[in-house]
Amino acid sequence: MTIVHLEGLPPGYRLEEDPDILTLYRGDGSEVAAFSPHAARPEAILLAAQRDGDGDASGTSRKGILPQGAAARGRFRVRFLGGFELLYDDVVVPRCRNARALAILKYLLAQGERPVSRDFLMCWLWPDSNLKKARWSLNSSVHALRRFLADHLLLEQEGEILLFQEGHYRLHPNLLLTSDVEEFDERYARGRRLERGGSVFEAVREYETAVELYRGDYLPEDLYEDWTMVERERLAGSYVYMLDRLAIHYANTGRYQRAVEMCYRILEQDPCHEDSHRRLIGHYVRLGLREQALRQYRVCAQALKSRYGVEPSPETRDVYRDVLAGETGRKTQAS
C-alpha cells in the first residue's frame, strides 16, 4: 500500500493506494469508500470524507462510531417472511437500488449480532473476481450501503450503523432491531414448551400468532441463494408443524371449518401432505359434504402420483372406502 496525499482531506482520514484500488480510511482504520485509482476525481474523494463527518485531531471521526449507550431514536423491524422489508418506526424504508449493497444488508440483518467476515462477502458476491477487484467491489458496495442507511435512518447521533472491525462487518449493537423470524421462532418455542407442559390452549394462542406472522416463505426473492435454503426449510417445517397442531386442536374442539382452513394452508406448503388430505376427507364427511370428501381423495391421489409416482397409503384408501360405503348405503336405503 502507498499513502496518497490529497490537499484538503480532513484530519483523521487517509488515502491508501495499490495498483487496483484507492481506499479512503478513517483514523480508526475503518473504511469509508473505495475508488478506481485511474478514474477517481479528487473532489469526489473529498466529498466522501466531508459527508462521512468532520475528523478530529486524534484521528477518530466524530461520525465514525456511535457512543456507548447511544441508540436509534426509532425502532427497526425486519420482515424476511414473504419478502424482504425494512421498517423504521413502522414505516417501510425504500429498497436500496444497489443490488450488492442490498444483498449485504439482508445478510447482516439475518446474522443479527454475529460479525460477517470481509473474505466471506467477497467470495460470495464476487466469486469470479481476483482479490483486488473483489475488494474494490466490496468497498464500493459497502460505501453505497452506508450512504443509503445514512439517507434513510435517523440516529440519536449521526453515528455509524455499519461497523468494520478486525476484518469483519456488523450492524451496530445498540440498534433497536427486531424481526418477524425472531418473533416467529420465539412463539414456536414457547408453544412447544406449553404443549409439552399440558397447557394446550395457551400453546394454541402462541401457534396462532406465529402462523399469522408467516406471510410467505423466507426471502422468496433469493430462492437459490445457498444461505437462504436451509433457513427457508427450517422455518417452513416449523410453520407446517404448528398448522398441523392447530388443525388437530380445532377438530378435537368441533371447529371443523377452522380445521379445514389449517389443512389447506398445509397443502399450500406441501401438496403431498397425506395426513392433511386424509383429515380433510373426514372433516368434509362431518360437515355433510361427502362429494367434496370424495373429490379430496382424488386430489390426494393425483398429487402423490404426479410427484412421487405412488398411490395413497392403505390408511387413506380405507378412509376413502368408508366414504364410498356411506354413499352406497344411503342409495340402497333410498331405493
Side-chain angles (χ1 to χ4, degrees):
M1 284 279 190
T2 301
I3 302 296
V4 178
H5 298 284
L6 178 63
E7 186 175 352
L9 193 66
Y13 290 81
R14 71 179 188 277
L15 275 173
E16 293 186 359
E17 181 182 16
D18 63 26
D20 298 293
I21 189 169
L22 182 64
T23 307
L24 177 64
Y25 290 97
R26 302 184 187 89
D28 62 2
S30 57
E31 298 170 10
V32 177
F35 307 88
S36 166
H38 309 295
R41 294 179 293 115
E43 55 268 29
I45 299 172
L46 294 175
L47 181 60
Q50 290 166 3
R51 283 180 172 175
D52 187 66
D54 296 331
D56 60 24
S58 67
T60 301
S61 167
R62 296 193 190 105
K63 204 177 169 186
I65 300 292
L66 277 172
Q68 184 69 27
R73 281 200 290 267
R75 294 180 179 273
F76 300 87
R77 182 164 179 82
V78 189
R79 291 176 179 163
F80 295 106
L81 298 169
F84 177 78
E85 282 185 338
L86 177 63
L87 294 88
Y88 182 69
D89 276 348
D90 297 324
V91 176
V92 177
V93 176
R95 182 164 295 202
C96 180
R97 295 182 178 180
N98 185 308
R100 296 295 192 230
L102 179 59
I104 294 169
L105 176 61
K106 288 181 184 179
Y107 192 79
L108 290 172
L109 289 168
Q111 297 304 304
E113 298 182 357
R114 295 186 293 274
V116 178
S117 78
R118 174 173 57 188
D119 291 342
F120 168 80
L121 293 175
M122 290 191 296
C123 291
W124 167 38
L125 294 171
W126 296 277
D128 299 323
S129 298
N130 62 46
L131 182 61
K132 298 292 185 182
K133 185 175 181 180
R135 186 179 175 196
W136 184 88
S137 298
L138 175 60
N139 288 344
S140 297
S141 297
V142 168
H143 178 65
L145 177 55
R146 282 182 168 136
R147 291 311 315 153
F148 168 78
L149 293 172
D151 288 344
H152 292 93
L153 308 179
L154 298 175
L155 297 178
E156 194 67 43
Q157 299 187 28
E158 292 186 346
E160 185 77 35
I161 296 175
L162 177 56
L163 307 180
F164 181 73
Q165 300 166 337
E166 299 180 354
H168 290 73
Y169 291 99
R170 62 178 301 193
L171 296 172
H172 198 285
N174 290 338
L175 292 179
L176 303 176
L177 180 66
T178 61
S179 77
D180 55 355
V181 168
E182 179 183 24
E183 184 179 352
F184 177 88
D185 283 338
E186 288 175 356
R187 297 281 185 179
Y188 170 73
R190 192 178 302 130
R192 292 291 300 270
R193 289 195 300 271
L194 288 166
E195 190 176 12
R196 287 194 297 267
S199 302
V200 175
F201 288 95
E202 290 81 356
V204 164
R205 284 196 290 270
E206 295 296 335
Y207 292 157
E208 288 173 333
T209 303
V211 299
E212 293 311 312
L213 288 169
Y214 200 94
R215 301 180 305 141
D217 287 341
Y218 182 79
L219 292 178
E221 67 272 27
D222 298 308
L223 193 62
Y224 300 108
E225 289 286 355
D226 289 345
W227 69 273
T228 68
M229 291 181 181
V230 173
E231 185 71 347
R232 186 176 301 112
E233 290 301 313
R234 181 186 73 81
L235 292 166
S238 299
Y239 175 59
V240 168
Y241 173 86
M242 288 186 284
L243 290 173
D244 190 63
R245 302 306 295 166
L246 289 173
I248 293 171
H249 173 75
Y250 294 145
N252 288 341
T253 53
R255 300 164 66 186
Y256 295 116
Q257 290 287 5
R258 286 288 284 159
V260 166
E261 179 187 342
M262 296 301 106
C263 288
Y264 274 119
R265 290 177 72 168
I266 292 173
L267 293 176
E268 288 176 359
Q269 288 294 125
D270 180 7
C272 294
H273 195 273
E274 196 171 349
D275 284 351
S276 292
H277 284 291
R278 189 165 54 250
R279 287 173 187 155
L280 280 171
I281 295 170
H283 297 334
Y284 283 135
V285 169
R286 293 180 184 92
L287 292 168
L289 302 171
R290 283 184 167 77
E291 185 59 38
Q292 187 67 26
L294 295 171
R295 188 181 301 119
Q296 191 64 45
Y297 176 82
R298 292 192 291 270
V299 171
C300 174
Q302 183 178 354
L304 292 169
K305 184 71 172 178
S306 175
R307 178 169 293 189
Y308 300 117
V310 299
E311 294 183 349
S313 67
E315 186 178 359
T316 304
R317 293 201 299 272
D318 286 344
V319 171
Y320 176 62
R321 281 192 290 268
D322 289 343
V323 178
L324 283 177
E327 286 287 321
T328 303
R330 289 210 313 276
K331 290 177 181 177
T332 301
Q333 292 172 4
S335 61

